[in-house]
Amino acid sequence: MSIQIRNITTADTLQLRRDVMYPTWSLDQVTLPHDADGIHFGLYSDGRLATVVSLFIEGDSAQFRKLATAHDQQGKGFGKLMMRHLEEVCRQRGIGTLWCNARETALSFYQQLGFTVFSERFFKDDLPFFKMKIPVKPAQAKGFTIIPAIDIIGGKCVRLTQGDYAQQKVYNENPLEVAMEFEDSGIQRLHLVDLDGAKKGAVVNWKVLETIAAKTGLTIDFGGGIKSGDDLKIVFESGAELATIGSVAVKQPELFFSWLDQYGADKMFLGADVKEEMIAVGGWLETTDRSVFDFLRTNLERGVKEVFCTDIAKDGLLQGPSTELYKKIIAELPGIRLTASGGVSHIGDVEELQAAGLAGVIIGKAIYEGRITLPELKKFI
């Protein structure tokens, strides 16, 4: 399935507006007085217009109106994809608030996306409505990013040692509490890993993702068990800003490239697990004959923007990161935005990675074991 969102004309929106929202009205009746001032978007699925919406910018806020998805295309996540697109448009234009007049029947849809009610119930055309809004998070500067990790097994926050499920330690029964603590310290990113999903080969802990996405403003990348288009759809519908893709990119590169084309490079966080400079897959049990340099070069050429690399000999051991490997990758692939993962044991490691030219660092066990405190990380935020 090919998905594309693009600008359309007012006239392009009218048929869907009418058919979905006011089927007994004429096209003239569903034309808004200020349509000429709006920006209109259409989501096309395999070339067919499936969803439309209109955006009206008013100073530092923007109202969207007439979000409509064709009846036979509903339930596919197109509405949520369109809303994410509107947020990105607002973000690029420096708009701080996105709002709408939401039908009462659509409250739960918008609440799942993080919208909140800010009015009493009112009526239009004999239908009950509420005003709803969401703050638009500003774009993150492309500096050095601190990304704490939450690994999930059975809905709990755990950490493994070198990917071994037999060596797991539960750090918190409630991942939301952990995520909120990160956000309260000023952190903006979160690396969320579904270890149950990774083991099963399909996304399992999407409810944890949905809860954290709804209750915090963190920008979440989510991985573990993403093996199909359906898995990817669940991840984005549940609130992830990026999908973390690893083994699929190694074993089924054309499938990964199709996702890259469908959703865009800004929605993908490519993970490279490495053992002695060779790509590893299968829960780190299998080392391929492909070098990390060749693997990353191929993916960068296809448009990948964000990459993280884990040296599996280091992960979970608190023995320091593979800084020399990362330096070599950066030297071989100038311009790569590479995030370090694994081995960080104290704040000096973080300083070392920043000095080496890394785009960021994923930190897990060092935080949970108290080796690095959240106040220590503030200078990087």
Side-chain angles (χ1 to χ4, degrees), residues 70-86:
H71 291 297
D72 65 344
Q73 298 296 302
Q74 292 177 8
K76 298 182 178 181
F78 293 160
K80 289 184 178 180
L81 285 176
M82 183 64 87
M83 292 309 304
R84 297 297 183 198
H85 181 75
L86 290 187

Side-chain angles (χ1 to χ4, degrees), residues 82-98:
M82 183 64 87
M83 292 309 304
R84 297 297 183 198
H85 181 75
L86 290 187
E87 284 191 61
E88 185 57 36
V89 170
C90 290
R91 184 175 295 114
Q92 291 173 0
R93 291 169 179 257
I95 291 166
T97 302
L98 180 64

